[in-house]
Amino acid sequence: MYFIKAPPGLVTRYLWVGGVHGLTTGQLADLFAPWGQPTVVLPDHTPAATPTPPAAADQPPPSLGTAGGTAATAASGEAASEVSAAAALAAAAGEEASGSGAPAPTAAAADAARHNGDGSEPPLRCFHAFLEFPGEEHAAAAAAAVPKGGPWAAAGGRKIVATFADLRRDKRPVPRPVATSTQGMGVPGLELLTEFVSPQQEAALLAAVAAAEAEAAEAAAGAGAASCSGRGGGGGGGGGGGAVGQGTGWEVLAKRRVQHYGYRFDYLTRNVDLAKPLGPLPAWAAQLAARIGELPQVSMRMDQLTVNEYEPGVGLSPHIDTHSAFTGPIISLSLGSAAVMELRRGEAARPLLLPPRSLLIMGGESRYAWQHYIPHRLSDVVEGESLVRGRRLSLTFRQARGFACDCAYPEFCDSQEGVLPPTRISLLRQPQPQPQPQSQQSEEEGVGGVAVAGGPTAASVANGGGGSGGGAQAGAAPSISTSREASGAAANGGAAQGAAAGAGAGTSRGGSGEDQQGSPAGAGGGAGGAGGANGDEEGEEEEESRLAALEAEYVHKVYDAIAPHFSSTRFAIWPRVRAFIESLPPGGLVADVGCGNGKYFGVRPDLAVLGSDISAGLVAVAAARLHAPHCPATPHLSPPRAADALVADALRLPYRAACADGALCIAVLHHLSSPARRVRLLRQLLRVLRPGGRAIVTVWATEQEDPKKTLAKWTRIPTVAADGGAAATASATAATAATAAAAAGAAATDRMSASSSCTSLNDRAATGPATPRVDTGPAEPAGAAVAADAAASDAATAEAGADYFVPWHLPFHRTETARAAKAAKEAAVAAGSSAGGEAAAAAPKVDESKGAVVFQRYYHLFTQQELAALVEEALAAGPADADDTAGGDDAGGQVHAPGLAGAGSGARPCGVLEEVFYDRSNWCAVFRRDA
Ligand SMILES: O=C(O)CCC(=O)C(=O)O
Ligand SMILES: [Fe+2]
């Protein structure tokens, strides 16, 4: 395995960092720790750097400041960082260290430098190193944080350069001794039992496997099934009704054939579907499984068997069998021919010969934290002798798991936080969104049985809520005209909003003179009350259509186009969202509105999740996860689906009112382009929640942790909504102001820190009945209450957030996105050449230098007060009506408690804003519906 610098535009989870000479690996890791605890890999490919041992008192490692500026200058151009140790070090020294005066270190020197005799860590003698981050996002954030070309204060004034790197495996043949026994291999939990079966038994097993194809076909015919050839990979599944011993027959994968028994292993989801057992194992497999199960190292019932057939030259990609799919050890019996299997963890690669008739037991760490890999080779060299491979069959026995994995290796565990990204194969097999009538699309894409049929959902997809029946005016070029330009619509929109706000919250919307954008919305707001309801309806509809079209263009279309790539970057479970989910009552129902790839579906096994998203592409990814549930608590009882996903518009959720115990709305609200539409979404959440139900909403914050790497790279655009300037802050009621300010006070204390801050509003501003604290975060900083008081008086003048275009780079040379990128590229070129004006402006752009198609996504960044006020406004307005399907927000007629005034005059909001907190560049609100 070795690293190279990545080609321009390729974002990876590895960074090449130059200028590290003189640092210790520990210091280097610490320097980049804020972006995700990278593993430091040194260029000569000795085992990965271990955590820095405590420095010996008499020989401290040099401080970051001592060696400033000795090394790298610029990382431009092609650094010859393909790494043969000495060559790379010399190259690095030659390229980057000119003038440093340091002697070019040799590999041996670097190696020797790795550990001092006393256990302290000496400084690095190499000029570059590689950092392996948990994900691309982390690496990208880290790369962005390194100052370009100048000294870096955090690094003690050194110049550090960072570029993305690519990991390659095995291009250089690295002679590694192949072990013939697991003893001394250094892979805990791995055990090889040779001659586990006799040659006669081996022959019988090979014959049984050979006969299985015919038996499977026969069984299928007997069961009246029309299609069970198994060939082509789509078969199997069965449903459990077949004859005893029914397997899948041969399924043809790209390079090998497989048979499955017990449960079919799905290579798309890397999991088994417990709801679809294939039936008991056939006798020959059951006998073997029983014998294996009785081994003391195993001691469990094996209920799943995969037969792999490898022709000579065929191997198996490195992988860890999905934790959530199988529990306990994984056992593989080799038949026919030997092959070398390599066990890998980090930089360690330990090859082991698997002779025919041997049984390999992968238990414990070897099963959960080490990848296993069979190189694609025609022969293996073992103890100096070349062993030519023949046809090898392996029988891999496993036990399907019916519960979340709770192993000690969360970084490799898809049930735990370091959820693995989807496999390349799963990404390749993502259906690409086809341009088609959207209403049809929603019907077809609606997976599972929940709530898809009927209701307004189907038709709503294209419209994004834009006008009942009127559609999104698909032909119309999306306008990003400012509120000033759209003054006609603005006045009307403002009036409508005034109606909603006036009737609902009795807000101080008239105070929108603070509107920085100079939006005329203030006029509408001034009208307030019922007056707004009588505004120019045509104008309202026009405005709604315009905003819906904008969202369709700059949100929905983009996510559909980038879905597989986007999804591959989204798998971290955010601790605060997890904490919220964990705070929900047992056995409840959760609406995950804007579920994306469904990454939160499996957090709680006992909760049923209804996921919805307007992007069919993302719902397809989420749906794939449904076949890999981590959640069914009763594996053999065909449990009801614990989650389902469908394409739906968040502004018109196709669920019954008051059905959900919880609602998630993660990173969705900021894609809605007006305060009115944001309130509509919040009121939809309230409608779906039962009284007592709670929701968490997260949005991107104007206070970005690293604005130079985010805000500075995004395009600030004029507020798109006509009433955008009147953003919810100005509508804060006295109560809102107090709660908002309370949150602001505490949040301001640490809003720019990476750790989450949090605020339980109930503790600070007595705005309602005491509610249980969800907050699991640190205690309130001293002085926050004072700050809150001060902020309270400011709340009325609180700033609204701002609208941005945020680019998404879809790399066109990444295998897993090649098809999507190709389509997007062609579309971009076509749009650029055929359309003019704004349509062309909306089209994604090809950036050859970055090797990517660049899409622009619409975002509204929120201030903390703005989010709080928005939630308060929705709470005051009450749950959306069941028939809130019209585009225009005629909330004036829908408010459940008309005529409510602010808190001072006895308003009865339908619920409580429990807390607002800042978490990693997001503002998050938790609120509860009471009535
Ligand atoms: O062929 C083998 O021995 C291993 C098969 C395997 O790792 C798998 O099916 O997951
Ligand atoms: Fe495996």
Side-chain angles (χ1 to χ4, degrees):
M1 184 162 65
Y2 67 104
F3 284 92
I4 58 168
K5 276 191 193 171
L10 178 61
V11 176
T12 71
R13 66 191 182 92
Y14 306 101
L15 284 186
W16 177 98
V17 280
V20 303
H21 183 264
L23 296 179
T24 65
T25 54
Q27 287 173 325
L28 184 58
D30 288 348
L31 183 59
F32 284 90
W35 300 279
Q37 290 296 350
T39 301
V40 177
V41 182
L42 298 180
D44 56 348
H45 302 284
T46 48
T50 46
T52 318
D58 58 342
Q59 197 177 7
S63 81
L64 284 174
T66 57
T70 56
T73 50
S76 61
E78 325 282 61
S81 43
E82 176 165 331
V83 184
S84 113
L89 288 165
E95 270 185 32
E96 290 139 14
S98 53
S100 76
T106 63
D111 196 31
R114 199 132 302 133
H115 294 289
N116 281 343
D118 61 3
S120 71
E121 204 196 6
L124 294 174
R125 303 283 308 274
C126 49
F127 290 89
H128 69 269
F130 297 90
L131 301 176
E132 179 178 357
F133 285 86
E136 288 175 8
E137 289 164 309
H138 302 81
V146 177
K148 303 277 174 296
W152 190 12
R158 274 166 183 278
K159 287 181 188 169
I160 300 273
V161 263
T163 62
F164 295 105
D166 205 357
L167 183 65
R168 302 276 166 91
R169 290 187 193 279
D170 282 345
K171 192 171 167 196
R172 295 166 306 129
V174 180
R176 294 181 182 118
V178 174
T180 53
S181 145
T182 43
Q183 263 166 14
M185 248 182 93
V187 182
L190 193 70
E191 198 169 339
L192 184 72
L193 307 181
T194 52
E195 298 299 338
F196 185 74
V197 292
S198 68
Q200 293 74 21
Q201 288 169 321
E202 177 184 33
L205 288 168
L206 288 170
V209 169
E213 173 83 355
E215 278 169 20
E218 211 173 285
S227 66
C228 193
S229 101
R231 282 199 182 264
V244 168
Q246 181 181 342
T248 57
W250 285 119
E251 279 185 36
V252 183
L253 306 181
K255 293 192 171 139
R256 63 186 203 279
R257 296 196 298 173
V258 292
Q259 293 181 5
H260 300 293
Y261 297 90
Y263 297 93
R264 178 174 177 270
F265 185 77
D266 183 334
Y267 294 89
L268 172 62
T269 59
R270 297 185 301 186
N271 214 311
V272 290
D273 187 345
L274 294 165
K276 290 185 187 163
L278 298 171
L281 299 182
W284 56 270
Q287 276 165 20
L288 197 52
R291 206 184 136 202
I292 290 168
E294 281 160 18
L295 292 170
Q297 307 92 317
V298 180
S299 306
M300 62 195 291
R301 191 173 59 90
M302 297 283 135
D303 59 9
Q304 196 273 340
L305 165 62
T306 294
V307 180
N308 281 289
E309 179 196 50
Y310 305 86
E311 295 297 343
V314 173
L316 186 66
S317 318
H319 67 281
I320 296 175
D321 289 43
T322 315
H323 289 202
S324 65
F326 306 107
T327 183
I330 294 191
I331 287 107
S332 186
L333 179 68
S334 293
L335 300 175
S337 170
V340 164
M341 175 181 276
E342 196 172 278
L343 279 293
R344 292 176 162 182
R345 182 172 181 186
E347 295 294 293
R350 314 260 156 88
L352 170 70
L353 177 69
L354 304 180
R357 299 180 296 285
S358 68
L359 189 77
L360 182 70
I361 303 169
M362 289 180 270
E365 182 182 321
S366 71
R367 180 264 181 272
Y368 287 114
W370 289 71
Q371 294 186 316
H372 46 283
Y373 164 50
I374 301 177
H376 298 262
R377 287 202 288 254
L378 286 164
S379 63
D380 297 294
V381 177
V382 182
E383 292 172 348
E385 207 182 305
S386 176
L387 300 182
V388 175
R389 284 194 202 164
R391 172 178 179 262
R392 171 176 178 266
L393 249 69
S394 68
L395 310 189
T396 303
F397 288 89
R398 306 179 276 207
Q399 187 187 92
R401 181 195 287 276
F403 48 92
C405 179
D406 193 25
C407 68
Y409 309 97
E411 66 270 40
F412 304 112
C413 183
D414 62 315
S415 288
Q416 300 180 59
E417 243 154 67
V419 176
L420 296 169
T423 56
R424 182 142 30 114
I425 188 171
S426 75
L427 291 165
L428 281 171
R429 289 172 59 173
Q430 289 311 327
Q432 299 304 320
Q434 301 296 322
Q436 58 181 307
Q438 297 283 324
S439 56
Q440 190 188 333
Q441 185 177 8
S442 77
E443 279 156 14
E444 286 169 4
E445 297 285 347
V447 291
V450 179
V452 174
T457 332
S460 69
V461 177
N463 301 342
S468 54
Q473 304 185 351
S479 161
I480 52 165
S481 55
T482 68
S483 46
R484 267 184 295 270
E485 289 160 346
S487 59
N492 297 320
Q497 185 64 8
T507 66
S508 56
R509 199 165 270 283
S512 55
E514 292 87 40
D515 169 22
Q516 292 187 319
Q517 302 296 323
S519 160
N534 299 325
D536 178 351
E537 280 173 24
E538 243 175 63
E540 282 170 32
E541 275 181 26
E542 219 171 83
E543 168 72 346
E544 276 299 309
S545 297
R546 184 179 73 84
L547 296 175
L550 181 131
E551 290 164 18
E553 191 68 36
Y554 292 101
V555 181
H556 311 163
K557 268 195 195 173
V558 177
Y559 281 108
D560 267 346
I562 68 174
H565 183 233
F566 177 79
S567 173
S568 74
T569 66
R570 292 295 185 281
F571 42 85
I573 301 295
W574 284 44
R576 299 300 301 267
V577 177
R578 175 193 285 271
F580 171 82
I581 296 171
E582 279 168 358
S583 76
L584 294 172
L589 179 71
V590 177
D592 185 350
V593 177
C595 64
N597 64 8
K599 68 179 185 174
Y600 289 109
F601 284 3
V603 169
R604 272 265 302 270
D606 62 309
L607 296 177
V609 182
L610 292 176
S612 64
D613 203 288
I614 201 152
S615 162
L618 285 171
V619 168
V621 179
R625 278 168 190 260
L626 298 179
H627 302 296
H630 312 146
C631 27
T634 47
H636 304 293
L637 291 180
S638 298
R641 273 276 168 72
D644 219 325
L646 61 134
V647 178
D649 180 355
L651 294 184
R652 289 183 253 180
L653 290 173
Y655 308 138
R656 265 183 311 187
C659 66
D661 302 277
L664 312 180
C665 189
I666 309 301
V668 176
L669 196 63
H670 52 218
H671 286 312
L672 292 177
S673 54
S674 74
R677 293 170 69 77
R678 291 166 207 145
V679 170
R680 280 180 62 197
L681 170 48
L682 294 171
R683 294 180 61 208
Q684 279 290 332
L685 300 181
L686 286 167
R687 185 181 71 76
V688 166
L689 285 177
R690 64 167 172 77
R694 294 161 61 243
I696 183 168
V697 174
T698 76
V699 293
W700 283 12
T702 52
E703 301 88 343
Q704 290 289 302
E705 278 167 14
D706 198 352
K708 273 191 290 191
K709 311 310 169 201
T710 53
L711 296 179
K713 299 198 163 175
W714 302 342
T715 309
R716 173 93 190 247
I717 55 172
T719 306
V720 301
D723 62 348
T729 49
S731 72
T733 60
T736 303
T739 53
T749 320
D750 52 2
R751 68 169 51 149
M752 301 312 288
S753 76
S755 67
S756 50
S757 67
C758 40
T759 307
S760 175
L761 296 177
N762 303 307
D763 292 356
R764 268 178 269 295
T767 57
T771 50
R773 266 184 82 124
V774 184
D775 192 345
T776 54
E780 174 190 345
V786 178
D789 287 346
S793 60
D794 285 351
T797 58
E799 273 185 43
D803 288 359
Y804 281 85
F805 273 162
V806 177
W808 182 272
H809 293 91
L810 184 67
F812 38 69
H813 54 286
R814 285 274 293 279
T815 320
E816 69 268 33
T817 56
R819 285 193 320 183
K822 183 163 173 278
K825 193 176 172 183
E826 282 164 9
V829 171
S833 59
S834 67
E838 288 193 86
K845 302 277 180 297
V846 176
D847 183 339
E848 291 289 353
S849 74
K850 291 206 161 95
V853 184
V854 185
F855 293 80
Q856 296 293 347
R857 291 170 295 159
Y858 166 82
Y859 275 84
H860 177 78
L861 269 54
F862 284 71
T863 65
Q864 178 272 335
Q865 297 96 325
E866 184 182 12
L867 177 62
L870 209 59
V871 173
E872 296 279 14
E873 186 171 336
L875 290 168
D881 278 359
D883 61 352
D884 178 18
T885 56
D889 187 353
D890 51 351
Q894 297 183 357
V895 169
H896 283 192
L900 292 180
S905 46
R908 285 276 306 276
C910 75
V912 176
L913 173 57
E914 291 185 349
E915 61 174 333
V916 175
F917 58 88
Y918 181 83
D919 189 13
R920 303 190 235 181
S921 299
N922 284 259
W923 286 111
C924 314
V926 174
F927 58 92
R928 188 184 72 224
R929 175 181 173 177
D930 283 335

